[in-house]
Amino acid sequence: MSTNTNSVRGLPRYPVYALGRLTKALHAEIDVPLRDHWVLTFIEENADLTQKKVGDALGIDRSEVVRLVDALERAGLVERTRDGKDRRKYRLRITDAGRKQCKRTDRLIADATARVLERLDADEQRTLHRLALTALGEIPESPS
């Protein structure tokens, strides 16, 4: 990741700018749409999901969730079925191919994160993660 900030002299003072640059660097490293991966991971980790629940939990607009799930379904990563009690709703389930894709992308993200954050030691990386989660109002997991 470039350290040249001459053209954006004042922007690095904003933590969200710096975090955005880190995210952009990660995107460039793995060349996988992270938003798709977050949706797929959320579906894998939560049984009996509706598209609305996905959107609400991840803060994604309903029409965008439909577009994302459409793409995941076309790729054979997610199955979408009508809810038996409410035909207006769809239930989402990850496929075996989706699970494999999640694992593959998780490895890519871990490797790319290590490269993007290589200037930080392991303790600094854990601290950055903990602070980011705290800023988002999440409860960081205790170190294992």
Side-chain angles (χ1 to χ4, degrees):
M1 189 163 123
S2 170
T3 57
N4 181 2
T5 57
N6 290 337
S7 62
V8 291
R9 208 174 294 263
L11 293 177
R13 75 177 177 264
Y14 301 109
V16 292
Y17 172 79
L19 293 171
R21 294 257 329 256
L22 287 172
T23 300
K24 194 171 186 176
L26 182 69
H27 272 271
E29 286 277 332
I30 66 168
D31 195 33
V32 170
L34 288 176
R35 196 174 212 191
D36 291 4
H37 180 63
W38 306 149
V39 170
L40 194 59
T41 299
F42 187 72
I43 293 169
E44 180 182 33
E45 293 174 348
N46 296 277
D48 198 35
L49 277 179
T50 62
Q51 292 176 163
K52 181 176 179 356
K53 285 181 186 175
V54 171
D56 290 348
L58 300 179
I60 303 172
D61 179 77
R62 187 172 71 186
S63 62
E64 183 68 8
V65 171
V66 171
R67 187 193 67 73
L68 289 165
V69 172
D70 283 348
L72 293 170
E73 187 177 37
R74 277 192 306 275
L77 305 175
V78 167
E79 290 178 346
R80 179 171 32 192
T81 57
R82 291 275 186 193
D83 183 292
K85 296 178 183 171
D86 185 346
R87 300 283 297 157
R88 295 170 296 175
K89 294 180 183 176
Y90 285 102
R91 297 290 171 180
L92 304 173
R93 187 183 75 74
I94 191 168
T95 64
D96 288 339
R99 280 187 195 80
K100 288 177 187 171
Q101 174 74 16
C102 261
K103 285 181 182 148
R104 180 180 123 359
T105 304
D106 282 343
R107 284 190 301 272
L108 289 172
I109 290 170
D111 293 346
T113 299
R115 287 190 302 275
V116 168
L117 299 180
E118 69 186 351
R119 292 180 186 93
L120 303 178
D121 65 32
D123 286 338
E124 290 170 328
Q125 288 183 29
R126 282 190 293 276
T127 298
L128 175 63
H129 189 197
R130 181 181 50 77
L131 291 172
L133 289 174
T134 300
L136 291 169
E138 302 280 336
I139 299 170
E141 291 180 17
S142 15
S144 32

